[in-house]
Amino acid sequence: MVNTADAEDPERLVLFGSFTSSSSYKPMLFLSLSGLPFSFRTVNLKTGLQKSPAYLALNPHGQVPTLRHRGLTVIQSNVILDYLAQATGRLGGRSEQARWAAKAWLSWEADAVTNIAKVRHYHRFRSVDPAVMAYFVPLAEAALDVVDRTLADGRNWLVGEEAPSIADIGCWGRMVFMAEGGIEIARWPHLQAWAQRLAALPGFALPYDLIPKRDAEFAGRNGESRE
């Protein structure tokens, strides 16, 4: 059963997601890097809880993640990232140009980087005709090529500022699973260095270390989380 009850505090961020979901990892990583307190509500995709009436009342698409905050329900991982950046004033980009660039990266990610998620899914969770993989692997690799070329000009982060943004979180959130699709990051040295910079940030964690398998409360940077 999915716990869809709101936190008593309307300011409390409540995120619904799954520990196997790259889409769930993106807002989880935002919240962890920001050091913000929040509540996590697990949605077990294997048992079909995303299709339960209680969860469908929150997210009619039956997908994760879903965010509840200040009486609002926000769905789709990149929309949630954009919302979090605006609601918290963090990681959205420091200049107006950077903020628009970050949004553009998120839109591109939904078209291009999502192919990495498809390769990972077909490689790990579902057997498909080899022709299907032959179609999606080049698309995934092309997305990695774009990020690698962008970072080849010496910038540290995708929008060109001296701090990461939702563009980096949104793109990395799916790329982190590339090895599970049989794609090795070492083939893209600039991208690999960027991933190492992300990993060095306070609050960074890999998906299986960050996303709990059960409901949990996160107290923020200076507090402890509890399940």
Side-chain angles (χ1 to χ4, degrees):
M1 180 176 181
V2 180
N3 177 10
T4 58
D6 284 346
E8 293 182 5
D9 181 2
E11 291 296 315
R12 183 78 172 180
L13 293 152
V14 182
L15 181 68
F16 297 81
S18 167
F19 81 100
T20 62
S21 162
S22 58
S23 295
S24 298
Y25 177 55
K26 291 191 282 184
M28 283 287 291
L29 183 57
F30 177 103
L31 293 166
S32 186
L33 291 175
S34 299
L36 294 169
F38 67 99
S39 301
F40 181 79
R41 301 289 178 259
T42 189
V43 182
N44 192 321
L45 303 181
K46 291 184 178 180
T47 61
L49 285 181
Q50 72 275 22
K51 302 299 183 182
S52 67
Y55 187 71
L56 288 172
L58 283 178
N59 188 324
H61 301 303
Q63 299 172 337
V64 290
T66 297
L67 180 75
R68 287 283 298 166
H69 186 226
R70 297 173 180 167
L72 298 173
T73 301
V74 186
I75 62 175
Q76 299 295 317
S77 60
N78 288 341
V79 177
I80 292 173
L81 286 179
D82 192 12
Y83 173 83
L84 287 171
Q86 293 188 52
T88 68
R90 302 168 192 245
L91 299 170
R94 295 177 178 177
S95 68
E96 183 176 7
Q97 180 61 63
R99 289 189 288 274
W100 284 111
K103 293 175 190 288
W105 273 107
L106 292 182
S107 180
W108 174 81
E109 186 277 336
D111 287 330
V113 182
T114 191
N115 290 300
I116 296 171
K118 293 181 185 297
V119 171
R120 178 237 185 178
H121 181 77
Y122 297 145
H123 191 271
R124 180 177 175 189
F125 298 110
R126 178 183 171 193
S127 297
V128 294
D129 189 292
V132 174
M133 289 294 276
Y135 175 79
F136 282 110
V137 168
L139 295 176
E141 292 174 337
L144 295 165
D145 287 341
V146 169
V147 174
D148 195 68
R149 287 197 304 269
T150 299
L151 295 164
D153 67 3
R155 70 181 66 189
N156 286 330
W157 309 108
L158 291 178
V159 301
E161 294 190 325
E162 289 307 309
S165 73
I166 52 176
D168 302 283
I169 296 170
C171 289
W172 173 248
R174 294 204 199 281
M175 291 180 179
V176 67
F177 287 107
M178 69 178 77
E180 291 189 8
I183 302 173
E184 296 300 325
I185 194 172
R187 293 170 53 191
W188 294 270
H190 303 293
L191 189 152
Q192 185 176 37
W194 165 73
Q196 291 168 347
R197 287 191 291 275
L198 277 168
L201 295 173
F204 178 90
L206 292 171
Y208 299 129
D209 297 323
L210 180 60
I211 308 176
K213 295 182 180 180
R214 64 190 68 179
D215 292 357
E217 304 297 326
F218 290 82
R221 178 83 75 236
N222 297 321
E224 297 180 354
S225 64
R226 63 181 186 276
E227 298 185 15

